[in-house]
Amino acid sequence: MSFHECGGNVGDDVCIPLPHWVAEIGRSNPNIFFIDREGRRNTECLSWGIDKERVLRGRTAVEVYFDFMRSFRVEFDDFFEDGIISMVEVGLGPCGELRYPSCPVKHGWRYPGIGEFQCYDQNMLKSLRKAAEMRGHNFWARGPDNAGSYNSRPHETGFFCDGGDYDGYYGRFFLNWYSQVLVNHGDLVLSLAKLAFEGTCIAIKLPGIHWLYKTSSHAAELTAGFYNPCNRDGYVAIAEMLHKHGASLNFACAELHTLEQREDLQEALADPQGLAWQVLNAAWDACIAVASENAFHCHDRVGYNKLLDIVKPVNDPDGRHFSSFTYLRLTPLLMERQNFTEFERFIKRMHGEAVLDLHV
């Protein structure tokens, strides 16, 4: 279920905007979209500030999502009843992922920048104001003023540097609110998805924000909504929310830890393997199923074997493995004879068939 714009991000070669009628509303009411500190709005998806606001021709954002999901379920009833559709992945943000649109290429972000907080539309600020009042600190009803810009590095900012404001009283308050809004959005949409798709597995997609993981603040994760600095586990609350709804986790960073030696990962202070294990352990500890997909093109046996090692580990003492795997992408290159032969072999091994390694 895609409730986001396709196009404008890394690797996108297709552009499918939000529905025309939504864009029309946005022209007169820009606060239906996320807005950054400089006032730039992001039209990739609707702000979670309108999840409960009737600004979409009399409906709230979550009512629009629910109406779409219910309509889809009715229209394709035969496919559900016959088991052809066995799982529905519910979009919860940009690129269909549960996160804030903190790293928009269209606003100049480039890897491995820290990104920016996206909480400056009127409805998000209203929520922040309410949270600050409840804490008895009205002057906390603001976003950080020293968090740098999209392409800053943590040490260049007062907020994200070692010992920075992110770990002070205000910083902890703000990050707790910001990340809780993310969890609340997922909770609300999934509760309606369960109603719409009763009896069918539902899943969500979580991104792997692996850069700057080796810093104290984990700044890129913080701006994306994951309150995961080095002294706190920011993925437990998400895993518990998914467990509540019986939803699966599709983690989109699964094979990145095979690229540990890539130079750009080292320069970005990245730790894909550390992130992957943290997220997967949070999921498995919460007893939720984990699915995955490949982030990069893969056509050779070495790459396929690495995927198999991750998705179906042979020596895991706890017998933990992924419940399903989505192969991306079906390109003309894949259909070339040798590549397709390797793909066929990969599929057989995924399904547990013994395949002889005659050559590598």
Side-chain angles (χ1 to χ4, degrees), residues 134-151:
M134 287 179 67
R135 282 291 298 271
H137 298 299
N138 290 3
F139 56 94
W140 281 357
R142 57 177 177 81
D145 55 11
N146 60 347
S149 56
Y150 286 112
N151 295 310

Side-chain angles (χ1 to χ4, degrees), residues 238-305:
I238 293 171
E240 290 174 346
M241 181 268 290
L242 296 179
H243 176 74
K244 171 184 171 183
H245 298 293
S248 295
L249 171 67
N250 180 5
F251 185 52
C253 186
E255 94 271 32
L256 276 179
H257 75 259
T258 64
L259 307 173
E260 194 68 43
Q261 302 308 313
R262 271 179 41 181
E263 190 176 331
D264 60 333
L265 290 180
Q266 294 174 356
E267 290 177 359
L269 297 171
D271 185 3
Q273 186 173 17
L275 173 65
W277 279 114
Q278 183 185 355
V279 173
L280 297 180
N281 282 316
W284 282 320
D285 286 348
C287 299
I288 61 177
V290 179
S292 190
E293 61 187 42
N294 54 307
F296 301 100
H297 289 280
C298 183
H299 301 115
D300 61 273
R301 187 170 303 187
V302 173
Y304 287 137
N305 285 345

Side-chain angles (χ1 to χ4, degrees), residues 46-47 50-53 56 59-66:
L46 297 174
S47 166
I50 64 166
D51 276 356
K52 297 181 179 180
E53 299 290 330
L56 301 175
R59 291 184 293 171
T60 67
V62 292
E63 286 173 343
V64 171
Y65 304 149
F66 177 66

